[in-house]
Amino acid sequence: MNDIIIQNIGALILPKKTEGPLKGEALDELKIVNNGTVVVKDGKVVYSGEYSEAYEAKEIIDASNKVVSPGLVDAHTHLVFGGSREHEMALKQQGVSYLDILKQGGGILSTVASTRQSTEAELYEKSKKEMVRMIQFGTTTVEAKSGYGLDKETELKQLNVAHQLDQDMPMRMKHTFLGPHAVPKEAKDNATFLQEMIDLLDDVKDKADFADIFCETGVFTIEESRRYMQAAKEKGLKVKIHADEIDPLGGLGLAIEEGAISADHLVASSEADKQALSNSDTVAVLLPGTTFYLGKDQYADARGMIANNGAIAIATDFNPGSCVTDNLQLVMSIAALKLKLTPNEIWNAVTVNAAKAIDVEAGTIEAGDQADIVVWDIPNHEYLPYHYGVNHAEVVIINGKKVYQNTGLLNVT
Ligand code: NIG
Ligand code: FE
């Protein structure tokens, strides 16, 4: 007997399973089945497609003509951290820039202080709360970075917390070591600190899938980033980079040269680097929620990257400073409004392509796939980015189990 049948699906969103990420025009191709059926058994999809009566199951979910899609994949988050930085909002309102706040010992460094002070149990409870919220918003796979320790003990503490959550929570996770995220106050100089983080790779390599670095003015240079990426690859880690977020240092070009699995942010990337995307499978992970939250007018040139046959994914960048939201649906709306992506491109960017950016088998719901599925309370697939800032997720299924259902108000008729 099957476990669940979802029947009466108005629009069943079926992103295409491919070897590499969807690139260029292919990003706008999305299969949508009207009046679809999905069947789930033992954590896996048994059937997805046109309406079928050929199956029985213990539970029938009537989707009432609504939309069903694979669970969303959030390919870039800083999930585990201590404290919060609401006081920086006033500084931002006064026009103090993100990098100036960091230079004054605030920003990332203030979260480093709070994270060092937090116990593993405190970090666990705090991150778990965020994860619960992510699931409620329809995210079923998440990448989590360290990077608020900048020392061995705290970086390991963050990675351990993320692994504990991976064990305890239904969500699928990928883990990233982001030791070179900023230069701590106690460091002798950038180069010495970077070497310390390179030396740490041996200690973290079994706890991380990826190594990441913040390549930015006043943080790490292109040459330092190259050195780190090469050292990480020697240890068997795949690499990622926070590139061209604020200044056009050339991080995207470096990522492509080094065969990074993704290059993230890319707001200020050069034309030449964007063109180089055409011959590369490095996924451009765009984080328009961050540009919005930092109050900038210039967004990443998603249209230009797609015209150059690049592969695009969209993620939240959830973190306590530059994008304080775990709602990927909101970021899908910002992607429509500011990156000018089409609804098809957006759905692919938060499912299949996001999965490629973190090397995970997710983002599709074909027979045999892990059953991570969301029923959305919307009339069609274009509606989600259109009606912004609210939660449209009605039912969330992870690994074949219903883990969230929006049960509505209480004591209201
Ligand atoms: O991706 N830019 C570097 N890291 C994060 C922000 C971290 C923070 O401000 O705490 C980002 O935007
Ligand atoms: Fe980030």
Side-chain angles (χ1 to χ4, degrees), residues 274-288:
K274 282 184 272 179
Q275 271 162 24
L277 275 172
S278 68
N279 298 316
S280 150
D281 271 355
T282 296
V283 180
V285 178
L286 306 184
L287 309 165

Side-chain angles (χ1 to χ4, degrees), residues 78-374:
H78 303 252
L79 176 68
V80 182
F81 57 83
S84 58
R85 312 217 298 261
E86 55 275 29
H87 54 281
E88 283 177 14
M89 247 184 158
L91 290 175
K92 276 165 56 179
Q93 286 165 348
Q94 289 154 26
V96 187
S97 80
Y98 181 74
L99 289 180
D100 281 338
I101 294 174
L102 178 61
K103 229 192 276 165
Q104 290 161 19
I108 296 173
L109 293 177
S110 122
T111 301
V112 167
S114 318
T115 308
R116 286 178 179 175
Q117 278 158 24
S118 303
T119 65
E120 211 162 299
E122 286 164 346
L123 289 176
Y124 177 89
E125 287 310 322
K126 187 168 156 65
S127 318
K128 186 173 174 181
K129 240 180 164 173
E130 302 297 349
M131 232 179 171
V132 167
R133 242 193 299 260
M134 287 178 180
I135 294 171
Q136 290 173 335
F137 281 121
T139 302
T140 55
T141 300
V142 68
E143 179 259 16
K145 301 176 194 297
S146 69
Y148 291 116
L150 314 182
D151 62 24
K152 181 173 170 179
E153 187 193 334
T154 319
E155 289 293 319
L156 284 171
K157 186 166 68 179
Q158 276 188 279
L159 288 167
N160 287 340
V161 167
H163 276 280
Q164 196 58 49
L165 289 166
D166 198 349
Q167 243 179 52
D168 300 347
M169 295 290 282
M171 242 175 163
R172 267 192 282 180
M173 291 187 78
K174 283 281 176 168
H175 303 272
T176 300
F177 172 61
L178 176 58
H181 189 199
V183 180
K185 288 181 204 130
E186 70 273 11
K188 195 166 139 248
D189 51 48
N190 290 29
T192 313
F193 175 68
L194 182 70
Q195 191 53 49
E196 274 173 41
M197 292 301 104
I198 289 174
D199 294 341
L200 244 187
L201 287 167
D202 263 327
D203 299 282
V204 300
K205 68 174 193 280
D206 296 333
K207 296 177 189 285
D209 304 290
F210 310 109
D212 196 346
I213 182 163
F214 189 17
C215 178
E216 189 56 69
T217 306
V219 193
F220 296 102
T221 64
I222 287 286
E223 277 322 308
E224 286 166 337
S225 303
R226 187 191 303 278
R227 190 146 66 82
Y228 174 73
M229 289 168 112
Q230 290 179 348
K233 285 192 291 184
E234 270 168 35
K235 302 287 176 197
L237 290 164
K238 294 196 167 76
V239 292
K240 292 176 163 281
I241 180 168
H242 281 66
D244 310 326
E245 176 178 358
I246 296 159
D247 290 331
L249 297 193
L252 173 57
L254 172 67
I256 293 168
E257 273 170 41
E258 292 300 324
I261 189 156
S262 77
D264 303 37
H265 285 291
L266 315 184
V267 174
S269 294
S270 71
E271 286 305 319
D273 282 358
K274 282 184 272 179
Q275 271 162 24
L277 275 172
S278 68
N279 298 316
S280 150
D281 271 355
T282 296
V283 180
V285 178
L286 306 184
L287 309 165
T290 307
T291 313
F292 170 77
Y293 202 81
L294 291 178
K296 303 261 171 119
D297 298 325
Q298 192 205 335
Y299 281 76
D301 177 18
R303 291 261 55 99
M305 292 179 203
I306 292 169
N308 285 331
N309 201 37
I312 305 277
I314 302 290
T316 59
D317 194 19
F318 169 65
N319 74 71
S322 70
C323 194
V324 197
T325 183
D326 21 35
N327 180 357
L328 188 50
Q329 296 172 53
L330 171 62
V331 179
M332 290 166 76
S333 293
I334 303 175
L337 295 165
K338 299 295 187 181
L339 303 185
K340 317 279 187 223
L341 296 184
T342 68
N344 286 1
E345 289 170 338
I346 291 170
W347 280 105
N348 281 322
V350 293
T351 54
V352 267
N353 269 24
K356 297 294 179 203
I358 56 170
D359 195 26
V360 65
E361 290 272 333
T364 58
I365 40 172
E366 294 180 8
D369 287 342
Q370 178 169 318
D372 294 353
I373 301 166
V374 181

